[in-house]
Amino acid sequence: MDAVQGMHETKDAARSKALSLREGLGDAVRLQAGLRMRDTLRKSSLASSVGTVAAYVSMGTEASTLPVLDWLLESGHTLLVPRLGTGRELLWGRLDDMGSLKDAGLHRPKEPDSAVLPPEILSQADIILVPALAVDRQGNRLGRGAAWYDQALRHRSPTALTLAVCWPWEFQKETLPAEPHDVRMDGVLTPDGFTLLATRMP
């Protein structure tokens, strides 16, 4: 087994473990988690002076981002959410109203019925919320393995604050395996609070 194959197997094992720990999380638990994340952002200065936020529409066992999205809209922010194409390039759509979110198919998050925007639009985002199955103290993030976000984040602004969003137990002390293409996070948002990582501290 070469080093790359070993890295992939280690990541796959970590993903399986993360997903198994999420089993049994019901709608009420996920919604409550989302309300707590919304309150964390509301009380912080994170989104007080930004114009554009790129976020994602939660699905499955993820903590609900719907309360966060709703609050960002009410606060007057420009909000970008993913539009999944046929390839692995992440496209975007502007979310102007929560009612515009429509089912996009099996195993796909809801998408707005607005125009499809190119990957480069992400350069306008001041804050980017990225889903994670795990993240460590160095900012290494474990995604679902398709590299959607690692590719998309190539278009982000150098000044953008990139935050991994996960469950509290998924923000871990143990170092996660990382490859050269993996993009490090600047901070972590969980239902228990927000942590700015050393990668972005003064």
Side-chain angles (χ1 to χ4, degrees), residues 13-31 33 37 56-65 130-135 141-145 149 163-172 176 188-191:
R15 289 186 187 99
S16 295
K17 179 180 179 181
L19 291 171
S20 67
L21 291 174
R22 289 182 173 191
E23 290 181 3
L25 297 173
D27 291 346
V29 172
R30 291 186 283 106
L31 177 58
M37 292 193 297
Y56 64 97
V57 181
S58 57
M59 60 181 292
T61 57
E62 295 169 339
S64 177
T65 59
V130 182
L133 289 173
V135 62
R141 165 186 164 270
L142 183 70
R144 291 184 177 268
Y149 275 93
L163 307 180
V165 181
C166 61
W167 292 97
W169 60 86
E170 294 170 344
F171 182 25
Q172 59 188 48
L176 290 167
V188 181
L189 176 65
T190 80

Side-chain angles (χ1 to χ4, degrees), residues 18 30 32 34-35 43 45 74 80 85 92 100 110 113 128 133 147 149 160-161 164 169 174-175 186 197:
R30 291 186 283 106
Q32 184 60 35
L35 293 170
K43 294 174 183 177
S45 60
E74 288 182 357
L80 302 173
W92 299 89
S100 71
K110 290 185 176 181
D113 53 9
I128 306 170
L133 289 173
Y149 275 93
L161 188 66
W169 60 86
E174 296 79 10
T175 301
D186 301 316
L197 298 174

Side-chain angles (χ1 to χ4, degrees), residues 51-55 69-70 72-73 77-81 93-96:
T52 301
V53 177
L69 300 179
D70 192 37
L72 289 169
L73 288 177
H77 294 81
T78 297
L79 189 54
L80 302 173
V81 296
R94 178 166 172 164
L95 180 62
D96 295 313

Side-chain angles (χ1 to χ4, degrees), residues 122-190:
L122 189 63
S123 65
Q124 298 181 14
D126 303 285
I127 292 178
I128 306 170
L129 301 181
V130 182
L133 289 173
V135 62
D136 65 21
R137 298 313 200 248
Q138 291 74 46
N140 297 311
R141 165 186 164 270
L142 183 70
R144 291 184 177 268
W148 286 90
Y149 275 93
D150 289 316
Q151 293 186 56
L153 290 172
R154 294 178 300 173
H155 300 290
R156 75 192 189 282
S157 166
T159 60
L161 188 66
T162 306
L163 307 180
V165 181
C166 61
W167 292 97
W169 60 86
E170 294 170 344
F171 182 25
Q172 59 188 48
K173 295 180 180 178
E174 296 79 10
T175 301
L176 290 167
E179 298 176 84
H181 69 266
D182 292 331
V183 177
R184 288 195 177 188
M185 301 291 102
D186 301 316
V188 181
L189 176 65
T190 80

